[in-house]
Amino acid sequence: MTTDQILAYDGDIPSEVVIEDKTAVEQLRLIQQLEDEDRQTIFKLIDKMLTNKKFKDFFQKNVAAL
């Protein structure tokens, strides 16, 4: 594409993807479209957040029992 074509672009420009407006299935479908490294980063973040939640729930439950 030439700079003239870019500056005078008449086609549809992609809109921003807002994940919170999507269902869980749609979110997973969008994640699957990412490059492998980006996809793995997202899944690592999710795993970390879930692990943190489990520890937080565990400690809250056990501290409440004291």
Side-chain angles (χ1 to χ4, degrees):
M1 201 174 220
T2 68
T3 54
D4 288 337
Q5 290 171 317
I6 293 171
L7 294 175
Y9 186 71
D10 289 336
D12 292 331
I13 297 174
S15 60
E16 179 181 2
V17 174
V18 181
I19 286 291
E20 60 238 7
D21 292 341
K22 309 289 183 211
T23 66
V25 172
E26 179 69 8
Q27 290 174 6
L28 287 174
R29 189 186 67 72
L30 291 169
I31 290 169
Q32 291 302 325
Q33 295 176 6
L34 297 173
E35 293 181 17
D36 189 53
E37 185 177 341
D38 292 337
R39 190 172 47 253
Q40 293 305 318
T41 300
I42 288 173
F43 288 134
K44 286 177 185 177
L45 285 168
I46 291 170
D47 286 344
K48 173 88 170 97
M49 293 161 114
L50 291 171
T51 300
N52 287 349
K53 180 175 178 1
K54 284 184 179 184
F55 275 111
K56 181 180 175 183
D57 292 348
F58 172 80
F59 285 120
Q60 286 179 345
K61 179 181 174 185
N62 288 301
V63 169
L66 293 176

